[in-house]
Amino acid sequence: MNSEKRQEAPHLGRAESETTRLPVGRLAYDTRRERRGIVMDHQDGFVWLRPEGGGTEWTARPGDVRPLNVREAAEALMWARVARANARSRGEVL
């Protein structure tokens, strides 16, 4: 994470930040940017997300990030399996 890209955020109360906090490693949906990402960190009042396949992290406000619903999670799992099968057919994965 690049510290110069981070901005100051308003202080979140302890109870609020703990109840809305998704666990690191959880696949989540950024409603503002309309894209999925893996929760990488919670810092400076922001949630840090990274695209599922890797790439540049971005920040989102905790209120703009939600866990995936059942349908979205199933779709994400399906695409992960397809990607793995494709990589295996190319000899990239054993």
Side-chain angles (χ1 to χ4, degrees), residues 15-74:
E16 180 184 349
S17 65
E18 287 178 3
T19 58
T20 60
R21 192 174 270 216
L22 292 171
V24 171
R26 175 89 182 255
L27 194 56
Y29 186 74
D30 181 348
T31 58
R32 190 169 146 264
R33 290 200 170 98
E34 297 182 347
R35 59 190 290 204
R36 291 189 310 234
I38 299 168
V39 176
M40 301 305 292
D41 200 0
H42 298 271
Q43 195 168 31
D44 300 330
F46 289 97
V47 179
W48 286 81
L49 299 160
R50 174 170 286 168
E52 296 170 78
T56 305
E57 292 180 359
W58 76 92
T59 58
R61 293 182 183 119
D64 293 337
V65 178
R66 65 169 175 76
L68 297 183
N69 63 36
V70 174
R71 184 183 54 81
E72 292 168 329

